[in-house]
Amino acid sequence: MVNLIWLFFIVAGVAVAAAQGNIELVTQAIFDGAKSGVTVCFGLISIMVFWLGIMRIAEDAGLLKLLAAVLRPVVRFLFPTVPKDHPALGYIMSNMGANILGLGNAATPMGIKAMQELQLLNTSKDTASPAMCTLLALNTASITLIPTTLIAIRMNFNSLNPAEIVGTTLMATFVSTLAAIFVDRWYRARNSLQS
């Protein structure tokens, strides 16, 4: 559906530009957009490589194990239906840790693996389990200490202080995470009463 919406916007934009005799503006916008896209991608690649390197150093130094130890009680509370030593919990903690450190791109493969493991526990294969819904909500609304992608984008566009958004982002993601947990718990309670 989203593809159809974008196709409509593109076709409508070209049609309006052609009707007004400004088709050269479309060509110029295509080249400017491609140039900006490549510039932003190269900037993001450099920042992602830097932060993935930092993550590797943190992993070798034991920081990720410490973060996992801190997250373990939280994860057990948020995912009570997942067995204690199930592999899904490791993937969930890795996903949450990467999201907390602002590495959403690195968190995605771990989130997918966590979903696959949770699907193995799911008794109704055509419906998402409560644990899967919780993971999706937390992944979407995750607390972010260092918004690396946003900082990289701001650096690419020559922001004077690209890291000034850290405090605001931390507050916004804290509130969104609390809201996600509250709504998740509310739906779980409602569904258990209806059962």
Side-chain angles (χ1 to χ4, degrees), residues 171-188:
M171 182 59 72
T173 57
F174 177 76
V175 170
S176 67
T177 301
L178 285 181
I181 292 169
F182 174 77
V183 170
D184 178 67
R185 290 294 153 176
W186 182 79
Y187 272 108
R188 281 185 185 231

Side-chain angles (χ1 to χ4, degrees), residues 40-41 43-49 51-52 55 94-95 98-112 139 148-150 152-153:
V40 169
C41 285
L44 289 176
I45 289 169
S46 63
I47 294 297
M48 289 306 297
V49 166
W51 281 108
L52 288 173
M55 282 286 287
S94 296
N95 174 269
N99 276 325
I100 287 170
L101 295 174
L103 300 170
N105 293 339
T108 300
M110 292 175 259
I112 291 170
N139 189 56
T148 54
T149 304
L150 290 175
I153 290 170

Side-chain angles (χ1 to χ4, degrees), residues 187-195:
Y187 272 108
R188 281 185 185 231
R190 189 187 80 163
N191 288 342
S192 67
L193 290 175
Q194 290 177 350
S195 299

Side-chain angles (χ1 to χ4, degrees), residues 81-83 86 115-133 195:
T81 59
V82 179
H86 196 275
M115 281 292 188
Q116 290 171 341
E117 292 293 332
L118 291 174
Q119 180 66 5
L120 296 175
L121 295 172
N122 193 359
T123 56
S124 177
K125 299 300 183 190
D126 60 343
T127 305
S129 68
M132 294 169 86
C133 293
S195 299

